[in-house]
Amino acid sequence: MLKYDYLIVGCGLFGSVFAQKQTHQRGKRVLIIEKRNHIGGNCYTEQIEGINVHKYGPHIFHTDNLEVWNYVNRFSSFNNFVNRPKVCYKNKIYSFPVNLMTLYQLYGVKTPSEAKSKLDEVAIPSQNPQNLEDWILSQVGPEIYEIFIKGYTKKQWQKEPADLPASLIKRLPIRLTFNDNYFNDQYQGIPIGGYTKMFENMLKGIEVKLNTDYFAEKSYWDSIAETIVYTGKIDEYFDYKFGPLEYRGLHFENEILEGDYQGNAVINYTQESIPFTRTIEHKHFEFGQQPKTVITREFPASCQKDDIPYYPVNTKANNTQYECYREEAEDKKTLILGGRLGAYKYLDMDDVILSAMNVANNIK
Ligand code: UDP
């Protein structure tokens, strides 16, 4: 008998949830190995000046799934933070996501019906808009596209919006009410005390080896467990045999300042000429009153083989290439792939948790 039932590669959400379920519900023998020097993957938070800093960009937990919500609440309490980002464009602040206040700021419309008439007037109809640009123009017209979407999207994806799938922008609501909640989901919040603490609780009683690179000794790790649960890049797993998949990277610049910098957790900078996409002021995620403040400017970046991948770039061509890898993985009965990178999908945290729960529950 091998030493472990599961060797889990990567200590992010998929790996941690899968490990928690298999260890505590099924009594399986599990080992997690993690390349970085910390748990939590890109959800990781680190305390600086008494503030939980989201080291890999803002993570705001939201879900419509009660089972997922109850599950995460077993490992942390959540506060009632609601994401209400603002947009800064040419030095003016706008309400965002596009809602009745935004439309009032732009056009002076004050009611849902006035707003609807205005959008009908400015929208550029399109029969069956497939790409991001045509879709957003068909909803809100060129001015809103220019102020809120075009520059940010070009910076974020380093592609023309006409070459991107509409699904990217359909993540964002467009509302004719004054509701400026970024998410439509019923449950939302930030783990009180930070994500890292939530992961520590989830991983209680589970063996985790940090600073451990699976690929440095792949055959050894493969030899000690019945099944490998791999949550890293699928193309890397197969040694890039169908070519490297495209990912977007990020680069962060932090500053510690006095007081309150921007009065909000997230402000998006949508002009193309400004190199960062957003500024995060971490203490606002937990309504912090600390004398100092930590702010982060988030810069989109290319993603080379050794960089941390943040976003899959789900164009048609890339998805087709991914399918080759997925088919290859299907043949391996002792391999489970999961998470944003394993699935090459723009999954939110709750999607990842749900898929890990389902995969863990469905194993016979
Ligand atoms: N987006 C935009 N302007 C904004 C915010 C988002 O055009 O001010 C577009 C952009 O293309 C982005 C997508 O909407 O990639 C999804 O945004 P979301 O805030 O969901 O991105 P995440 O927080 O996952 O990076």
Side-chain angles (χ1 to χ4, degrees):
M1 192 163 78
L2 299 180
K3 185 162 182 212
Y4 296 102
D5 296 300
Y6 295 102
L7 175 90
I8 301 176
V9 183
C11 197
L13 267 180
F14 191 97
S16 301
V17 171
F18 184 91
Q20 194 279 331
K21 291 244 152 216
Q22 287 297 332
T23 306
H24 296 298
Q25 277 181 14
R26 298 275 178 101
K28 297 292 182 188
R29 300 156 306 149
V30 167
L31 169 66
I32 304 181
I33 59 170
E34 165 59 54
K35 187 160 71 172
R36 289 187 245 183
N37 63 1
H38 61 74
I39 59 172
N42 286 353
C43 300
Y44 178 66
T45 49
E46 181 183 75
Q47 285 233 334
I48 302 175
E49 301 289 347
I51 298 163
N52 290 308
V53 172
H54 296 212
K55 284 286 280 190
Y56 302 94
H59 281 73
I60 299 142
F61 195 85
H62 57 96
T63 187
D64 243 348
N65 185 302
L66 183 57
E67 199 190 343
V68 170
W69 182 240
N70 285 339
Y71 180 76
V72 291
N73 274 272
R74 284 170 53 193
F75 307 106
S76 177
S77 304
F78 280 69
N79 69 18
N80 63 346
F81 178 84
V82 169
N83 192 23
R84 304 181 196 282
K86 308 291 167 237
V87 156
C88 182
Y89 177 82
K90 297 199 173 160
N91 239 357
K92 277 202 169 135
I93 296 285
Y94 294 90
S95 184
F96 195 69
V98 173
N99 67 86
L100 191 46
M101 184 55 85
T102 324
L103 298 168
Y104 172 71
Q105 290 174 316
L106 288 171
Y107 303 122
V109 292
K110 297 195 196 74
T111 64
S113 68
E114 282 176 26
K116 166 129 191 10
S117 306
K118 189 67 198 180
L119 287 186
D120 286 347
E121 180 193 315
V122 297
I124 300 174
S126 169
Q127 279 294 312
N128 182 19
Q130 292 297 315
N131 69 61
L132 191 158
E133 181 172 75
D134 288 349
W135 188 84
I136 196 72
L137 286 172
S138 77
Q139 303 295 305
V140 294
E143 189 176 357
I144 293 178
Y145 173 54
E146 171 64 35
I147 296 175
F148 297 95
I149 310 297
K150 193 172 159 193
Y152 189 107
T153 296
K154 285 173 95 166
K155 288 191 286 191
Q156 171 73 3
W157 299 99
Q158 200 71 61
K159 286 196 192 305
E160 287 302 317
D163 296 331
L164 289 164
S167 59
L168 287 179
I169 205 71
K170 289 183 182 172
R171 291 168 58 83
L172 274 49
I174 298 166
R175 299 202 191 94
L176 302 185
T177 66
F178 286 110
N179 178 7
D180 61 353
N181 184 344
Y182 202 59
F183 304 112
N184 287 321
D185 289 343
Q186 208 173 341
Y187 311 104
Q188 184 173 173
I190 300 284
I192 297 171
Y195 281 90
T196 302
K197 223 164 110 192
M198 179 182 93
F199 276 88
E200 280 166 7
N201 290 334
M202 197 179 276
L203 294 166
K204 274 195 181 133
I206 296 167
E207 195 182 346
V208 180
K209 281 191 201 296
L210 300 176
N211 303 303
T212 303
D213 182 359
Y214 171 64
F215 293 107
E217 282 178 288
K218 182 171 181 301
S219 46
Y220 166 71
W221 297 116
D222 288 346
S223 75
I224 62 168
E226 306 286 345
T227 300
I228 305 296
V229 178
Y230 175 80
T231 69
K233 296 194 297 177
I234 185 169
D235 50 346
E236 185 174 18
Y237 183 87
F238 290 107
D239 206 16
Y240 306 100
K241 66 189 282 189
F242 303 111
L245 284 166
E246 190 180 7
Y247 301 88
R248 287 297 285 158
L250 293 172
H251 158 75
F252 299 101
E253 286 181 11
N254 289 348
E255 234 185 304
I256 300 174
L257 301 168
E258 299 293 327
D260 192 340
Y261 175 71
Q262 62 185 20
N264 206 39
V266 183
I267 298 193
N268 293 353
Y269 285 79
T270 52
Q271 263 167 277
E272 205 182 341
S273 56
I274 294 177
F276 49 88
T277 48
R278 47 192 177 188
T279 47
I280 313 306
E281 187 165 18
H282 301 266
K283 70 180 180 186
H284 293 302
F285 288 126
E286 295 186 65
F287 318 112
Q289 297 292 323
Q290 294 87 342
K292 301 237 178 202
T293 192
V294 182
I295 63 154
T296 302
R297 293 189 180 83
E298 182 174 315
F299 298 79
S302 64
C303 185
Q304 309 305 324
K305 275 185 186 167
D306 290 332
D307 297 333
I308 295 173
Y310 287 84
Y311 300 89
V313 184
N314 291 118
T315 57
K316 264 196 191 128
N318 292 346
N319 289 343
T320 306
Q321 191 185 347
Y322 160 73
E323 274 306 306
C324 301
Y325 285 113
R326 198 189 56 77
E327 278 170 23
E328 192 86 357
E330 243 171 32
D331 292 340
K332 292 192 175 287
K333 297 299 167 228
T334 56
L335 173 68
I336 294 173
L337 296 174
R340 208 183 246 203
L341 302 174
Y344 197 64
K345 284 199 181 70
Y346 193 167
L347 301 173
D348 287 327
M349 287 183 280
D350 62 329
D351 301 322
V352 174
I353 292 170
L354 185 63
S355 75
M357 288 166 82
N358 287 338
V359 171
N361 288 338
N362 291 338
I363 293 172
K364 297 275 179 301

